[in-house]
Amino acid sequence: MDKNLSGEDNDSIDWDTEDELEIQEIPDTTFSSCTNLRNVGQHTAHCHGEASSSSVPCQSKFIQQFIVMGFPEESIAKAIEQNGENEDLVLDALLTFKALEDSPEEQPSTSLQLEPCISSDDSSSQYSESFLDDIYEEDSWSSNSDNCINSADQCYLRDESSSLSEKEQTLLFLANMGYPVEEASIAMERCQKASLAELIDFMCAAQMAREEDVYLPEDVKPKLNSGGYKKRKMYNELCIRKKQRALLDEETIALPNPMIGFGVPTESVPGIVQRILPEQAIGPPYFYYENVALAPKGVWDAISRFLYDIEPEFVDSKYFCATARKRGYVHNLPIEGRYPLLPLPPRTIHEAFPLTKKWWPSWDTRIKLNCLQTSIGSARLADRIRKAMEAMENFGGEPPVRVQKYVLYECRKWNLLWVGRNKVAPLECDEVEMLLGFPRNHTRGGGISRTDRYKSLGNSFQVDTVAYHLSALKDLFPKGINVLSLFSGIGGAEVALYRLGIPLNNVVAVEKSEVNRNIVRSWWEQTNQRGNLIDFDDVQKLNGDRLEHLIDSLGGFDLVIGGSPCNNLTGSNRVTRDGLEGEDSALFFDYVRILELVKSIMSSRRV
DNA sequence: CTTATGATGACTCACCAA
DNA sequence: TTGGTGAGTCATCATAAG
C-alpha cells in the first residue's frame, strides 16, 4: 500500500511483504505442528496429530531434557515420532504413556523413576548442579532432604488417579507458564507438597541466581560460586519472599475508593505527584499491563509480585466515559503530566445517548452504564420488560416498586437503554465502540458476526483511560515509538497511541484471534499509518530467538503493552474462574516472560 | 455449518445495623 | 467487631434457530 514505509533503516527486512513474512520466518521445526498449545494440557489423548518427522537441528538437547526428567529413551523416541519436536506435545505424550503404563497396578514403574533428575548423572542440566543443590542443603523447609528422592518417587507414583495426576498437571501448568520443564520438574521434586506459589517462588529464585551469574562482574563470580555467600543470599531471598507472602495472605492489595488510581483528569489524588519505582522495574522499555480489578483474592498480589512489586493502579473508566470498567494497571510509566484525549467523551448515559432521555423513567436513576461485557441482553428479555411495563401502564402512573426493581435489575445487569415508550434495548455494536473510545465501525465488516463483535469489544481496553496513562509518553518520543503489543485484541493500545498523536514506527502485535488481527490490520491501513505492523498469532510462540531478531531489526521496543486474558479471573465466569492458574489467564506469565526477555535482550544490546 | 439465545452461581467488597 | 444484604462482574455451555 504505502510505499513510504520502506524507510532508511529497514534494509534488513522487506517490510512490504505482508502476512507471509511471519510464516516464513518461524522455524518450522518447533511450531508448525501445533496450532493451539494451550489446549494440549487437557486433552492428552488427542495427541496423535501430524507425525512430522521434521529436521533435527539440536535433537540431542531436545531429547536430553526428557531424559533428565526421567523418561525412558524409547518412550521419548516414540513421543517425538508422533508429535514432532514440540516440547509441550512430547511432554504431554510422555505423561500419557506413563499414566497408561502405571494405571493398571500400583507397582512402581521401573521405567519412569525420577532418580536421574537429581542424581549425579552427567546428563543432568546445568541448573541442578550450579545452584539448586546448593540452596537446599541447609534449607530448613525441606527438613528431610535425605529422603527427598524416595518420597518424591512415592508421591509421584501414588497419585495416578484418572488421566493426569496432580503432579503432572502442575508440571504441565508450569511448563505452560514458560518455565523450562526440567526446571519445573526439579522444583517440584525439591518442594514436595509446596503450593504453586511456592514452586513459582522457587523458580524465581533460581532465575535470580542465574541472572546473578550472568550479570555480575567477572571478578565477583568466583567468590560467589565457591563460598557459602550465595547460598545464604538465596536463602535470605526466599525467606523474605515467604514472609512477604505470609503478610500478603492476610493483607491483600485493597482496591481504592474512589477507584481513580494515581489520578484522573477530573480528580487528582492529593499527596501523589511522583512515585519511586524499584530499580529493576525502570525501563527501557516502558511497560503497561492490564487486567480486571475484581479478580479473586491474591491474584493482584501475584501479578504485582511478578511485575517488580509495582503497586497496581486501579482505575474505573467511569471517570473517563459513560460506562464503568474497573481495571488494574501495572506499569512503569511516569505519572506526572498526563492529559486526557480530546474531544472528551460523553460522561453520562444521557450525554452519550440523548435520544433516550425522552423515554427514561424517573425511577431508573442510572447515570453510568455498568461494565460492557462480551455478550448482550437478548431481544426477548427486552420484550418481557416491555410487556411487564405495559401491563402496569393500564392502571395509570408508575409501575409498582416490585416491577421497578425487576426492570432495574435487568437493566443494570444487561446495560439496557430506554429507546421508546416502555421499550428497552441492549447497546448496538457501534455504540459500544463509541463508549470504549474506538472509531465507529472499528469492528464492523470483514465477515465478523455480531456476536463476535460484542465479544471482541467486551474484551478490549477503554481507549480514553489507557490513553490518559500513555499520554506521559508523548513528549518522551516525539519521533515515534516501537511497540510490542501482546494480546492486542482489536488494537486498543494502538488506537490510544494513535489518538494521542504518538507516531507508531513499528508495532508488533500478538493476537490469537484472526478476526481481531484483521480488524487491527484494517484499521492500520485505513488510518494511513506510516509505520510497520507486524503480527503474530500466539504469545507462546514468541521465544527468545524471535524477540532477538525483532529487537535487532527494529532497534528495540519502547513500550511493551498488553492485557492478558481475564476469563479465569472475572466474576462473570461461573464455570472456570480458576484464577491466574486458569488455562487462559495463565498467559499472564507469558507477558512476564516476554517482558523479561525484552529487558534482558535490550540491556545486552545497549552496553 | 454459523449465529443467537437462555440457563447456569460464586466471589468480593461496600455498606449498614446490631 | 460481626453478620446480613445488595450490587457488580473483559463468561461458558448446551441447544435452538437460521
Side-chain angles (χ1 to χ4, degrees):
Chain A
M1 315 289 141
D2 194 344
K3 290 301 172 192
N4 292 336
L5 52 70
S6 52
E8 311 81 67
D9 40 2
N10 293 334
D11 299 325
S12 53
I13 293 184
D14 179 15
W15 295 114
D16 284 340
T17 56
E18 292 178 356
D19 293 348
E20 303 89 25
L21 180 69
E22 74 201 41
I23 301 166
Q24 284 166 4
E25 289 186 354
I26 294 172
D28 54 352
T29 50
T30 321
F31 300 123
S32 57
S33 61
C34 178
T35 50
N36 190 346
L37 290 171
R38 255 167 289 143
N39 289 335
V40 176
Q42 291 212 329
H43 311 292
T44 51
H46 298 172
C47 295
H48 41 265
E50 46 279 328
S52 66
S53 53
S54 50
S55 59
V56 201
C58 50
Q59 193 171 45
S60 60
K61 194 182 167 192
F62 184 77
I63 292 178
Q64 200 162 27
Q65 66 182 325
F66 298 107
I67 295 176
V68 165
M69 291 171 65
F71 293 108
E73 281 192 58
E74 315 89 79
S75 301
I76 297 170
K78 192 174 161 195
I80 291 176
E81 195 190 330
Q82 285 183 1
N83 298 285
E85 284 209 333
N86 182 299
E87 199 173 291
D88 293 53
L89 287 176
V90 169
L91 177 61
D92 218 348
L94 286 168
L95 291 170
T96 309
F97 295 159
K98 184 207 171 309
L100 291 173
E101 200 174 333
D102 288 350
S103 50
E105 57 237 352
E106 288 256 311
Q107 247 178 12
S109 153
T110 51
S111 59
L112 282 168
Q113 286 169 352
L114 292 179
E115 279 93 339
C117 296
I118 45 175
S119 71
S120 54
D121 193 328
D122 285 337
S123 66
S124 54
S125 71
Q126 285 191 332
Y127 307 143
S128 56
E129 293 207 52
S130 62
F131 59 88
L132 289 176
D133 286 344
D134 293 348
I135 309 164
Y136 290 94
E137 277 169 13
E138 57 181 30
D139 198 347
S140 59
W141 49 290
S142 75
S143 52
N144 51 349
S145 57
D146 286 341
N147 303 331
C148 191
I149 298 170
N150 286 335
S151 47
D153 250 350
Q154 282 163 14
C155 183
Y156 191 72
L157 295 168
R158 217 182 299 130
D159 53 16
E160 64 268 328
S161 46
S162 52
S163 58
L164 280 185
S165 73
E166 210 173 303
K167 269 195 166 226
E168 290 159 346
Q169 284 179 0
T170 309
L171 189 59
L172 276 177
F173 172 70
L174 292 169
N176 267 343
M177 280 170 55
Y179 287 106
V181 277
E182 66 269 38
E183 191 177 334
S185 171
I186 289 164
M188 285 172 62
E189 278 189 272
R190 292 294 186 163
C191 323
Q192 305 151 43
K193 293 181 187 172
S195 72
L196 199 60
E198 285 167 330
L199 287 173
I200 289 164
D201 277 2
F202 177 97
M203 284 183 286
C204 272
Q207 208 167 8
M208 282 160 52
R210 228 174 310 152
E211 280 162 7
E212 244 175 48
D213 268 353
V214 174
Y215 294 115
L216 276 176
E218 278 304 318
D219 52 336
V220 191
K221 270 191 182 179
K223 194 175 154 195
L224 286 175
N225 284 336
S226 57
Y229 167 78
K230 187 170 134 194
K231 277 193 277 187
R232 226 170 304 123
K233 185 168 180 205
M234 294 284 298
Y235 179 66
N236 286 340
E237 295 273 13
L238 284 172
C239 285
I240 289 167
R241 279 173 174 274
K242 284 191 91 176
K243 236 181 242 176
Q244 281 176 342
R245 197 174 45 250
L247 272 174
L248 288 170
D249 278 345
E250 294 160 11
E251 201 173 331
T252 52
I253 295 177
L255 299 175
N257 187 18
M259 197 182 278
I260 56 175
F262 303 134
V264 293
T266 48
E267 303 175 50
S268 61
V269 181
I272 299 185
V273 273
Q274 247 184 344
R275 59 172 178 165
I276 297 164
L277 293 169
E279 186 71 28
Q280 269 189 306
I282 295 171
Y286 286 107
F287 72 89
Y288 188 84
Y289 174 80
E290 177 261 10
N291 216 320
V292 291
L294 280 62
K297 234 176 193 172
V299 165
W300 276 105
D301 301 295
I303 290 173
S304 172
R305 202 163 62 235
F306 275 96
L307 294 174
Y308 320 105
D309 287 319
I310 294 177
E311 179 193 351
E313 176 169 21
F314 293 105
V315 181
D316 189 339
S317 292
K318 75 178 180 183
Y319 297 101
F320 289 84
C321 64
T323 181
R325 207 166 184 80
K326 299 177 183 66
R327 296 292 179 268
Y329 307 89
V330 178
H331 61 83
N332 62 352
L333 300 168
I335 61 172
E336 60 268 19
R338 296 161 153 184
Y339 61 93
L341 273 185
L342 296 175
L344 291 174
R347 297 276 308 280
T348 64
I349 297 174
H350 290 332
E351 279 175 33
F353 307 103
L355 295 177
T356 65
K357 197 169 184 175
K358 185 177 172 187
W359 310 108
W360 211 271
S362 61
W363 43 268
D364 184 346
T365 54
R366 288 178 296 159
I367 305 296
K368 307 273 186 181
L369 292 168
N370 277 333
C371 185
L372 304 177
Q373 309 213 42
T374 55
S375 53
I376 59 161
S378 66
R380 297 186 191 193
L381 172 64
D383 200 43
R384 279 201 298 274
I385 289 174
R386 182 177 57 82
K387 284 183 175 137
M389 295 288 292
E390 278 175 357
M392 294 303 150
E393 200 175 39
N394 297 332
F395 298 101
E398 293 185 340
V401 179
R402 190 177 183 79
V403 175
Q404 287 182 18
K405 277 206 159 185
Y406 160 72
V407 173
L408 207 42
Y409 170 78
E410 297 289 356
C411 284
R412 287 186 200 275
K413 184 171 163 188
W414 294 106
N415 272 328
L416 303 176
L417 300 175
W418 294 96
V419 296
R421 173 181 289 273
N422 296 330
K423 207 166 74 171
V424 293
L427 293 162
E428 293 293 326
C429 292
D430 60 335
E431 292 170 337
V432 178
E433 287 168 347
M434 179 267 288
L435 287 166
L436 291 177
F438 289 93
R440 180 179 283 259
N441 292 333
H442 183 71
T443 59
R444 192 178 184 183
I448 186 172
S449 75
R450 212 174 131 78
T451 315
D452 283 344
R453 284 180 75 186
Y454 285 117
K455 190 171 176 186
S456 292
L457 285 162
N459 284 314
S460 175
F461 286 162
Q462 205 288 323
V463 171
D464 298 272
T465 312
V466 172
Y468 181 67
H469 297 156
L470 297 177
S471 63
L473 295 177
K474 168 111 181 189
D475 290 339
L476 300 175
F477 298 98
K479 293 183 177 175
I481 60 174
N482 290 345
V483 183
L484 176 56
S485 174
L486 305 173
F487 316 102
S488 54
I490 58 174
E494 291 83 345
V495 172
L497 291 164
Y498 171 69
R499 288 190 59 194
L500 283 166
I502 300 175
L504 297 166
N505 295 344
N506 295 289
V507 173
V508 175
V510 189
E511 167 60 34
K512 192 180 67 169
S513 155
E514 189 186 351
V515 286
N516 285 351
R517 288 200 304 274
N518 291 339
I519 287 168
V520 175
R521 172 72 62 186
S522 166
W523 169 82
W524 188 268
E525 284 164 6
Q526 279 169 34
T527 49
N528 297 315
Q529 298 287 333
R530 272 181 269 180
N532 310 296
L533 174 65
I534 306 163
D535 47 31
F536 295 106
D537 66 342
D538 195 337
V539 289
Q540 296 187 313
K541 293 181 186 173
L542 205 54
N543 57 14
D545 287 346
R546 293 216 49 81
L547 282 169
E548 271 188 48
H549 184 242
L550 286 167
I551 287 168
D552 287 338
S553 315
L554 309 177
F557 291 110
D558 304 306
L559 175 65
V560 178
I561 188 167
S564 61
C566 69
N567 53 345
N568 302 124
L569 308 179
T570 173
S572 327
N573 189 342
R574 308 173 179 197
V575 186
T576 52
R577 196 184 187 188
D578 303 328
L580 266 189
E581 303 175 19
E583 190 174 344
D584 294 317
S585 294
L587 291 176
F588 160 72
F589 297 106
D590 280 280
Y591 181 91
V592 177
R593 175 181 65 82
I594 289 167
L595 177 61
E596 278 291 318
L597 277 170
V598 169
K599 283 173 88 85
S600 149
I601 294 169
M602 282 179 62
S603 68
S604 75
R605 296 294 189 274
R606 210 158 39 236
V607 179

